[in-house]
Amino acid sequence: MESMLRYLGWTSVGLALLGGLLFLLMLEIFRLNASRSRSPPGPKPLPFVGNLPHLMKNSMAFVRSMAEYGDVSCFYLAQKQVIVVNSLPMVKKAFIQNGGAFAGRSPVPILDFVTNGYGIIMAPYGTSWKQQRRFALHTLRNFGLGKKNVEERVAEEAQYLIREMLKQEGKPFSPMHPIMNAVSNIICSIVFGDRFEYDDKRFAKLLEILEENIQLAGAPVSRMVYVVPFIRHFPGPHQKVWQNVKSLKDYIREVVEEHRKTLDPENPRDFIDAYLVEMTKQQSNEDSTFNEENMIMSTSDLFLAGTDTTATTLKWGLIYMMDNPDVQERCHEEIVRVLGFERSACMDDRAQLPYTHATVHEIQRCADIIPMAIHETTQATQLGEYHLPKGTKIMPNLAIFLADREHWKHPDTFNPENFLDEKGQFFKSDHFVAYSLGPRMCAGETLAKAELFIFLTSLLQRLKFSWPPGAPRPNMDGILSIVRSPFPFSTICRSRGTTH
């Protein structure tokens, strides 16, 4: 009798739990149906996880498919709805003409824990973000952004990169670390006041941390933090992300302390010096957001943004050059005809190097490294026929603009002719939105343009790249995380010599 009661007790508990789960499931289905009835069209979401499974299966195909539902569509990240804008005129109207209303930053659960609203990249739209971004742009310009001396730094670093690559001449090697080191040295010279050698083990570790975090942030377990936020308290790759960020912040704190000891307020050497001076100036201002945490996070943001996006684009560039040797040869011939073998490129050379200039843009178009930039509305606003409450997640579909079949001459293939007019001169399309739009557009666009053009021109001037014999071609879908990165690959480089 006692065992029967115990059995009935467990049966009741099981039935109660099952009933509770069924009730939650029905409630979620009702919520989704109610939400979809007043929302733009889109793929059908699953209860609790939304469209995350579709996104994780083939991210780029999923993002591009959103245009099939019209100018405005939507999908669900777990239980959070994301409005997708697939019309370029509508994107411009929202993110440029009404930019402030769409300038919020959608929280990323795996990163919010370490940024805490500080810095620039992930900071919410408001006073702190405005002050930090304005100061960063002003300071970067003061230290040469958009001026000849930065171009000279890039050209000099390009020669270091070429020498580093030639150490492996004729042998398969991974270009990942040399490219990241070279690109990072440009922003490091502005932020930290110095560059780092390619064999610097501590700096190599920082770059490894940076690369690892980019990959881990897009891992399936990390994305599941959207579905079940308390996962962040359990072991998993997200824990490694936070450890890596802590290591980077600890390094920046050490650099800041060294700068404090040698600071000359009248002659700031770099971004950190300038920030320390600004903190002193703002001490009596109650509305100031210049503090230690914002300094550490803003410095980290500049290091991250100034390294990964450009380095990732250059990695894709090598892949496209090896995949299209005819394009690589035509660029080399044009560069040597205009510059010879010895003179370094500068931004003024773009007009005389239209095919090379077009190739740089075609690399960016095909690489499409930031197809998903999710924003938030900062106030209630209107988008076409839809009313968007404050806090609505919204995404301009940059991927679809870069592959628009009605606009590009060769939308599905790598072809620099997409950026050349009938006379063979460079022509920039309004569908080229690689740096995003509106108040949140890339703050380092000027620096990135100089780096991409000068680095690529210098590499193609002096080196020839090819696939290692028998090497499998990497999956061109890439790895979609914070940025869209290529899978690891190897290359063979050979010196062009100084004569044909």
Side-chain angles (χ1 to χ4, degrees), residues 24-33 35-36 42-57 62 69 74-81 224 226-227:
L24 288 175
L25 178 62
M26 295 303 294
L27 196 64
E28 172 68 359
I29 292 172
F30 176 79
R31 186 193 68 81
L32 280 175
N33 288 337
S35 174
R36 295 186 72 206
K44 188 174 181 178
L46 298 172
F48 305 112
V49 296
N51 297 110
L52 268 176
H54 311 119
L55 185 63
M56 291 163 68
K57 182 179 179 181
F62 178 77
Y69 298 94
C74 78
F75 68 94
Y76 288 79
L77 280 176
Q79 295 180 307
K80 301 291 186 182
Q81 183 190 69
M224 285 304 291
Y226 279 104
V227 184

Side-chain angles (χ1 to χ4, degrees), residues 59 67 89 103 105 142 152 191-192 211 234 285 339 344 361 369 425 438 466 485 497:
S59 301
R105 176 64 78 201
N142 284 348
E152 290 166 3
V191 174
F192 300 133
E211 184 82 2
F234 290 86
N285 182 1
L339 303 179
S344 295
H361 281 70
I369 67 167
Q425 295 303 304
S466 60
S485 307

Side-chain angles (χ1 to χ4, degrees), residues 235-246:
H238 49 289
Q239 298 289 350
K240 184 63 174 172
V241 170
W242 299 330
Q243 292 170 19
N244 286 345
V245 172
K246 183 180 182 302

Side-chain angles (χ1 to χ4, degrees), residues 168-192:
Q168 306 293 332
E169 185 173 10
K171 297 180 292 186
F173 74 100
S174 170
M176 302 290 195
H177 174 71
I179 288 175
M180 285 194 72
N181 206 137
V183 173
S184 190
N185 270 343
I186 306 305
I187 193 64
C188 284
S189 66
I190 297 172
V191 174
F192 300 133

